[in-house]
Amino acid sequence: MIRNVSLEEISDGKLYTLNDMAKAGCGGCEGCSDCCRGMGESIVLDPLDFARMAEGLGLAPEQLLGGYLELHVVDGIVLPNLKMAGESEQCLFLNKEGRCSIHPYRPGICRIFPLGRYYEEKDGKEEFHYFLQVHECSRPGRAKVKVRKWIDTPQADRYDQYILEWHHFLKEMQKRVAGADAKEAQAVSLYVLKTFYLQPYNGMDSFYEEFDRRIGK
């Protein structure tokens, strides 16, 4: 999701890699679930999020999409996001104790929070760094933690590569729908949904290899 704000407005002014230390540690978030409420349509799932959640819940892709997620247009492309429910607009996976009931297979946006991703192009090559969102987390006294440990994702270097590939792919799809008529834009979104979300993956161990084939790498 593209945000039209300056990095200086929303961060501590630093950019981080997997091996850097950032003040993201929230002490297990005990007694706090603010970031699981009122997030609107902002928790957008990438294909790995979707596949990991479907496997974790033991659901077929269609069941996951029909029961726990919504579809909304994100920068011109229809993508799935977590549903919020009730007066407090809380995540459907927030339990009565105010804890995440899908923590082992929570989406990437939730994993990196309160970090975000900053994409840029250098010497004709796309790259991204993590940054610390200073206005989003209400938890005081956050501790320094290595980014690699904080995002809690196996094969973190391969994960970062995948995130960059997916970001680039979506940019290309967004260019295709820009100025296109409604029928063509719908066809592009259906292609993305069917190819990368609704077509099941053969387990997490082979996800990246399957993703590469689907993206034409």
Side-chain angles (χ1 to χ4, degrees):
M1 181 179 294
I2 298 172
R3 298 173 66 185
N4 294 313
V5 294
S6 68
L7 195 62
E8 290 74 17
E9 291 179 69
I10 59 175
S11 79
D12 61 358
K14 300 176 183 178
L15 295 175
Y16 300 92
T17 68
L18 287 171
N19 294 318
D20 290 326
M21 304 287 287
K23 281 192 174 182
C26 303
C29 300
E30 289 188 20
C32 180
S33 56
D34 288 353
C35 64
C36 303
R37 305 172 191 273
M39 299 303 290
E41 303 165 7
S42 66
I43 312 301
V44 180
L45 275 65
D46 62 49
L48 176 59
D49 293 333
F50 191 93
R52 187 156 45 186
M53 190 180 296
E55 182 178 88
L57 291 170
L59 298 174
E62 293 81 2
Q63 292 174 304
L64 179 61
L65 189 57
Y68 299 96
L69 307 177
E70 296 176 320
L71 292 175
H72 287 99
V73 178
V74 181
D75 303 321
I77 304 295
V78 177
L79 296 172
N81 64 267
L82 287 185
K83 282 183 181 179
M84 300 289 149
E87 292 184 5
S88 62
E89 295 185 358
Q90 70 177 43
C91 174
L92 288 178
F93 295 108
L94 192 66
N95 64 24
K96 294 179 180 179
E97 290 72 41
R99 310 297 289 174
C100 177
S101 63
I102 58 164
H103 197 262
Y105 38 93
R106 65 201 184 280
I109 290 177
C110 303
R111 286 175 181 272
I112 70 174
F113 186 84
L115 300 175
R117 300 187 186 107
Y118 177 74
Y119 298 88
E120 58 184 338
E121 187 172 315
K122 285 188 176 180
D123 301 322
K125 183 180 179 181
E126 283 187 315
E127 60 180 44
F128 83 88
H129 289 83
Y130 294 95
F131 69 93
L132 181 64
Q133 302 181 83
V134 294
H135 304 300
E136 301 298 330
C137 178
S138 60
R139 188 78 173 180
R142 293 194 302 270
K144 278 192 173 184
V145 61
K146 184 173 283 191
V147 173
R148 182 184 298 274
K149 180 179 180 181
W150 181 251
I151 67 173
D152 187 28
T153 296
Q155 303 179 61
D157 295 282
R158 181 63 184 90
Y159 175 70
D160 271 13
Q161 180 185 342
Y162 153 76
I163 288 294
L164 197 56
E165 291 168 352
W166 180 242
H167 174 75
H168 178 76
F169 173 78
L170 285 183
K171 280 180 62 178
E172 293 302 309
M173 294 299 102
Q174 288 155 10
K175 289 178 184 177
R176 287 184 58 179
V177 301
D181 59 33
K183 186 176 180 180
E184 183 179 353
Q186 183 182 45
V188 171
S189 286
L190 283 174
Y191 164 73
V192 172
L193 285 172
K194 289 180 178 179
T195 304
F196 296 96
Y197 291 93
L198 295 178
Q199 182 180 339
Y201 292 84
N202 295 318
M204 293 299 94
D205 290 342
S206 62
F207 173 84
Y208 293 126
E209 289 78 8
E210 289 188 57
F211 172 80
D212 285 346
R213 284 196 295 272
R214 296 183 193 191
I215 210 169
K217 185 178 175 181

